Amino acid sequence: MMAQKQVLQESFQGQGQSIETTKSAITKMLVRTERFQTRVRKHIDENYTEFMPNHTSPDIFLEKATILGDEINELLASVGEEGLAALNDASAELAKSSKDLREILLELRVSEHILKLDDLFQCVEEAKANKDYLVVFDLMGKLRSLIYSDSTDSADVAPEVERLFQALDCYESIKVKYHVQAHLLQQNLQERFDRLVQLNCKTFPNSKCVTLLISKDETQLQDVVSALFQERYNPVKLCNFLLEHCIEPLILKPVSVEYNEAAKDDSHIQLTLSYSIKDQDAASALLRPNYKDVFDHFRLLLQTLSAINSNLNGTQHVFTVIGDQVKDRMLQLLVEECLIPAVPETMDEYNSSTLCADVLQFEHLLADAYLINPELDCALTEFTKEFDTYYRNRLSARVLATAREIIQRDLQDMVLVAPNNLSANVASDPFLFPRCMISKSAQDFVKLMDRVLRQPTDKTAESTPDPLAGVVAQLLETYIDEVPKVHKKLLQSIPQQSALFHNNCQYLTHWVAQHANNGIDSYPSLVKMLQSTATKHLRVQLNYQQSILMDIMSGFEFENPHTLGSTPLRLVRQCLRQLELLKNVWQQVLPENVYNSSFCELLNAFVNELVQRVFTLRDISATMASELSDLIDVVLEKGPLLFQDKHEVLQVRSWQKLQQLKTMMNASLKEITELWCDGAGPLTANYQANEIKHLIRALFQDTDRRAKAITQIV
């Protein structure tokens, strides 16, 4: 290398004239460039430092800068690196000139960079004047790439040029000017957008009117929209308006929709939505719009706004940006407030329903408009997949809601059933339901279950579960659980309610047995539950009625050892009146055999208590014995009248015991011993020996004959 430099140096020494020529050329180039740079600095200072009016076009400077740069490069290239090194050794002055030449070239490149920015700013103003917003947007992008070195588009700018440019005083001014232009562009685009896309909402006391007025100037509209949405536009305000005033009402409310393709002298498309803003919670189900109307109204909304749905970057459209803000809420409302309520409630409706197909078609519409991404936003597809489940749940819910409404009805609204099935007929045919009264609500409950069983099913679709499988069992379980809760107070206090509920449960038991072959789940356990529920609540009422009788008899006392007094007879009559009242509400309600067994039990408890009260006496005078006989006669006379068949009273276990007690009240000592007959007489069926001995001691004075008679009672 050193040898080569030596050769070049000798060559230049041999050609002194050539060195002087090169030196002169470099000097002239430095002078020309410095003069040019002075003019450029003045232009830049006036524009970006002093902010003086300056109408000089940067094109002149750019062209001159390019020419000078090319000439400097040619001059440097004509000598080359090795030639310059030789010159450096030959002439220190020439070496300094060559270094200055390189530095001024770098400064020239910085000036050229600033001039390009200045030219772009002027182009922005011209494009804005021509309302060419896409060009403005493109120019602003170029400005940004030249101003900010972190931009990927600034890779063609030399690092040294960037460094020097960013160190200049004018750099901050240029950045401010860029941001002002960007803000003005955004503001101008928004104003143009608001004129081309007019969204208005008028609120009245009870209603709201929303108007969308869209310009038909599609070229201008799409230019403005494309530039606006690419210029870091925040669409929240627009999206909130569409969601709050258009999308949500279309789904949730009945909306009057008017579409006009020739509004404002055929220059605009207009969509008007009118709807009530009253509180509609109470009647929301009745006022909910049909899903087909919702879909049709959505189509009109998308059709009205279609002109703004510009392609922003090949894969993203304006509706994509809007969708990012509104689609989650929109899809949630569509599924929960529109589609699920539209699911059929009967098999006939299910078989004729086009809901799934309509939903998928609507989903394609939203996807084709780029409002949703069908691969990510799958709420509508998921709805169609779960359609059968929604159907089963909705059908079951409707049936159960009807059942609960029936359960709320008054039990005392009753009707006679099986009027010809008397107890004798039922005894000979256990499959007959006995004549009795049941609540009309129980009859309606059975009709509901009949409708459920008559509901047609798709026998060919083996993979599709029966939508009403288990519903009958659920209905009966609901009846068993809910009726005692809903009618708790009345069941406890009104005997007729308990009797009717008992009959209702038995009526349902009979129905279940008749339909055992219809695939009712848990048939045996349902029968057992119904029967036990019927028995339980009638038992509660029987116990309550018995407690009333015992409360009355608790005052049964013998105040005078010689006479009965008025209180015992009054209390006995009170008990009989209580039983007569119960008879009036039960005899025509309960099945005859249930009524008879219930009254036998109550009468038996009353008679037993009466007998026990008599046996508390240690001394019974003849007068009291006669009065006790008369008192017992009242019971023996009234008791049979409690039954439709008077002979039914003989089924009362203690009835004969009461009759025998009356007999003993009027019998002689000899007659009593004969009735005992050494333990083989009729008294032994109802009395123990110690009871007869006690009675003899109470009725007769202490004599040898009494002592002898007592010895015979063993």
Side-chain angles (χ1 to χ4, degrees):
M1 180 66 69
M2 293 297 295
Q4 189 175 6
K5 287 183 179 180
Q6 181 68 28
V7 172
L8 287 170
Q9 186 177 4
E10 291 175 355
S11 174
F12 279 115
Q13 287 175 347
Q15 301 175 0
Q17 187 64 36
S18 295
I19 293 173
E20 290 301 322
T21 301
T22 302
K23 179 180 176 181
S24 174
I26 291 173
T27 302
K28 289 178 181 179
M29 182 60 69
L30 288 171
V31 171
R32 287 175 57 205
T33 305
E34 185 59 39
R35 288 175 181 171
F36 175 74
Q37 285 287 76
T38 300
R39 292 170 57 204
V40 169
R41 276 194 291 273
K42 180 181 178 184
H43 175 79
I44 293 172
D45 287 342
E46 288 176 349
N47 279 343
Y48 299 104
T49 303
E50 299 172 0
F51 302 103
M52 299 288 291
N54 188 340
H55 302 289
T56 306
S57 172
D59 291 343
I60 301 172
F61 295 116
L62 272 173
E63 182 179 355
K64 184 65 175 177
T66 302
I67 293 171
L68 283 173
D70 291 342
E71 290 180 4
I72 292 172
N73 282 328
E74 288 177 4
L75 180 58
L76 291 172
S78 65
V79 178
E81 291 292 333
E82 294 174 351
L84 285 173
L87 286 173
N88 289 342
D89 294 339
S91 171
E93 184 180 353
L94 187 60
K96 181 179 182 302
S97 297
S98 65
K99 182 179 179 183
D100 292 342
L101 186 63
R102 287 181 176 279
E103 289 178 355
I104 205 165
L105 176 61
L106 183 59
E107 292 175 3
L108 186 63
R109 293 302 183 205
V110 173
S111 298
E112 187 177 12
H113 186 81
I114 297 173
L115 290 170
K116 286 180 180 178
L117 288 170
D118 192 40
D119 184 54
L120 286 173
F121 278 124
Q122 288 201 13
C123 291
V124 165
E125 294 298 331
E126 293 171 4
K128 283 167 62 178
N130 295 329
K131 298 180 181 179
D132 198 343
Y133 297 107
L134 287 178
V135 172
V136 173
F137 176 76
D138 183 60
L139 291 171
M140 292 299 293
K142 291 179 179 179
L143 278 168
R144 179 175 179 80
S145 69
L146 290 175
I147 293 171
Y148 294 98
S149 59
D150 57 342
S151 172
T152 55
D153 295 331
S154 63
D156 56 338
V157 180
E160 279 297 306
V161 173
E162 286 182 359
R163 183 181 61 79
L164 291 175
F165 166 60
Q166 293 177 6
L168 294 175
D169 293 339
C170 66
Y171 177 67
E172 292 299 325
S173 299
I174 291 173
K175 283 202 303 182
V176 169
K177 184 173 183 178
Y178 166 77
H179 286 294
V180 169
Q181 288 289 353
H183 175 73
L184 291 174
L185 172 62
Q186 180 76 45
Q187 189 177 52
N188 190 270
L189 288 173
Q190 184 66 61
E191 290 173 356
R192 294 296 303 169
F193 180 81
D194 290 341
R195 285 195 291 270
L196 295 168
V197 180
Q198 298 178 34
L199 308 177
N200 299 305
C201 177
K202 292 183 179 179
T203 302
F204 303 98
N206 297 320
S207 63
K208 186 176 285 188
C209 181
V210 179
T211 304
L212 282 68
L213 199 63
I214 312 299
S215 172
K216 284 186 176 182
D217 187 348
E218 292 190 8
T219 301
Q220 184 182 178
L221 182 59
Q222 291 193 4
D223 283 352
V224 170
V225 169
S226 296
L228 179 65
F229 274 78
Q230 293 183 65
E231 185 58 28
R232 299 187 177 183
Y233 172 62
N234 186 349
V236 170
K237 184 178 178 181
L238 170 65
C239 296
N240 286 345
F241 181 93
L242 293 175
L243 184 63
E244 179 181 352
H245 300 298
C246 300
I247 294 173
E248 289 185 354
L250 285 178
I251 298 172
L252 299 174
K253 301 173 181 288
V255 179
S256 173
V257 179
E258 295 181 16
Y259 179 75
N260 185 358
E261 289 186 334
K264 281 195 172 183
D265 299 328
D266 202 25
S267 63
H268 288 73
I269 297 172
Q270 179 172 311
L271 183 71
T272 304
L273 312 178
S274 303
Y275 50 87
S276 172
I277 55 175
K278 288 183 178 179
D279 183 11
Q280 299 175 345
D281 289 344
S284 59
L286 296 175
L287 295 175
R288 182 179 286 115
N290 182 280
Y291 81 90
K292 291 188 177 182
D293 292 337
V294 173
F295 287 178
D296 289 341
H297 294 160
F298 258 87
R299 288 186 181 94
L300 286 176
L301 178 63
L302 295 179
Q303 182 178 334
T304 303
L305 296 172
S306 61
I308 72 169
N309 194 21
S310 302
N311 187 330
L312 300 179
N313 53 22
T315 59
Q316 193 177 49
H317 288 67
V318 170
F319 278 8
T320 312
V321 177
I322 295 174
D324 289 342
Q325 300 288 327
V326 306
K327 63 185 178 182
D328 290 342
R329 176 67 174 161
M330 177 188 72
L331 293 174
Q332 178 193 5
L333 287 176
L334 277 171
V335 172
E336 294 179 1
E337 302 295 336
C338 177
L339 300 181
I340 292 179
V343 171
E345 292 185 338
T346 68
M347 183 62 75
D348 289 338
E349 292 176 357
Y350 174 81
N351 289 333
S352 61
S353 174
T354 60
L355 180 57
C356 284
D358 294 341
V359 168
L360 291 176
Q361 185 179 7
F362 183 68
E363 185 180 48
H364 290 319
L365 172 71
L366 299 180
D368 290 343
Y370 302 99
L371 197 62
I372 65 170
N373 182 343
E375 295 180 0
L376 301 176
D377 308 312
C378 306
L380 298 180
T381 298
E382 288 300 319
F383 168 80
T384 61
K385 291 179 180 178
E386 296 296 322
F387 177 71
D388 286 339
T389 300
Y390 287 127
Y391 164 60
R392 289 194 296 274
N393 294 342
R394 187 162 168 76
L395 180 56
S396 299
R398 185 181 72 89
V399 171
L400 287 171
T402 303
R404 288 192 168 90
E405 185 275 324
I406 293 172
I407 286 170
Q408 295 287 332
R409 298 176 192 171
D410 188 1
L411 294 177
Q412 216 151 336
D413 187 8
M414 53 190 169
V415 62
L416 178 66
V417 293
N420 299 321
N421 294 349
L422 303 178
S423 57
N425 306 116
V426 175
S428 61
D429 185 356
F431 292 102
L432 292 177
F433 187 72
R435 171 193 173 98
C436 68
M437 304 289 284
I438 65 168
S439 304
K440 286 183 179 179
S441 60
Q443 208 170 42
D444 292 337
F445 205 85
V446 164
K447 290 177 182 177
L448 175 64
M449 292 190 294
D450 283 333
R451 288 201 302 272
V452 169
L453 291 184
R454 287 197 303 269
Q455 191 75 29
T457 56
D458 187 357
K459 303 295 185 182
T460 60
E462 296 181 0
S463 61
T464 302
D466 180 3
L468 289 170
V471 170
V472 169
Q474 194 174 359
L475 287 175
L476 291 168
E477 289 168 359
T478 301
Y479 188 87
I480 292 168
D481 291 340
E482 295 295 326
V483 172
K485 296 175 184 176
V486 173
H487 303 281
K488 180 179 180 180
K489 290 184 178 179
L490 295 178
L491 286 172
Q492 289 174 346
S493 58
I494 300 179
Q496 193 177 67
Q497 297 267 328
S498 302
L500 285 168
F501 183 50
H502 167 273
N503 294 352
N504 294 347
C505 289
Q506 296 292 12
Y507 186 66
L508 296 176
T509 302
H510 181 73
W511 182 89
V512 171
Q514 285 184 314
H515 296 83
N517 296 328
N518 288 5
I520 298 175
D521 290 350
S522 308
Y523 158 68
S525 62
L526 283 173
V527 169
K528 186 176 180 181
M529 285 171 62
L530 286 165
Q531 289 178 333
S532 64
T533 302
T535 304
K536 171 187 172 183
H537 284 85
L538 187 60
R539 168 52 52 198
V540 169
Q541 189 59 236
L542 281 170
N543 291 343
Y544 176 64
Q545 293 299 324
Q546 185 173 324
S547 70
I548 293 175
L549 296 175
M550 295 303 104
D551 284 344
I552 296 171
M553 290 298 289
S554 65
F556 191 104
E557 294 180 356
F558 302 99
E559 299 173 357
N560 191 318
H562 304 293
T563 181
L564 187 60
S566 61
T567 300
L569 180 59
R570 178 176 59 80
L571 296 178
V572 166
R573 289 187 180 280
Q574 187 177 344
C575 286
L576 291 171
R577 280 198 301 273
Q578 179 67 26
L579 290 171
E580 286 173 3
L581 290 173
L582 189 60
K583 167 196 170 182
N584 293 336
V585 296
W586 271 8
Q587 191 170 53
Q588 299 303 317
V589 173
L590 287 169
E592 186 178 359
N593 63 327
V594 177
Y595 173 84
N596 289 342
S597 63
S598 299
F599 262 75
C600 283
E601 182 179 336
L602 291 173
L603 195 54
N604 184 68
F606 166 60
V607 168
N608 270 336
E609 183 65 19
L610 177 58
V611 171
Q612 293 301 321
R613 293 285 174 172
V614 172
F615 271 86
T616 62
L617 291 169
R618 299 179 64 84
D619 187 14
I620 302 174
S621 66
T623 301
M624 184 176 285
S626 175
E627 289 174 344
L628 283 172
S629 176
D630 292 341
L631 183 146
I632 293 171
D633 260 342
V634 172
V635 178
L636 295 176
E637 178 186 348
K638 298 291 185 180
L641 300 179
L642 297 172
F643 300 91
Q644 190 170 2
D645 181 358
K646 294 180 181 180
H647 298 292
E648 192 67 33
V649 76
L650 298 176
Q651 301 301 318
V652 177
R653 290 196 305 274
S654 58
W655 191 253
Q656 189 180 26
K657 186 173 186 177
L658 183 64
Q659 289 175 321
Q660 290 172 339
L661 181 60
K662 180 199 171 184
T663 300
M664 288 187 286
M665 289 296 107
N666 298 312
S668 65
L669 186 59
K670 180 182 177 183
E671 287 172 336
I672 293 175
T673 55
E674 287 176 354
L675 288 171
W676 182 258
C677 192
D678 296 328
L683 289 180
T684 57
N686 300 292
Y687 290 95
Q688 300 293 324
N690 61 337
E691 292 177 318
I692 300 300
K693 290 177 182 179
H694 172 82
L695 201 56
I696 289 173
R697 291 188 182 101
L699 286 169
F700 302 100
Q701 293 182 352
D702 187 8
T703 64
D704 292 340
R705 289 180 63 245
R706 190 186 81 170
K708 182 180 178 182
I710 289 175
T711 60
Q712 293 175 2
I713 307 301
V714 291

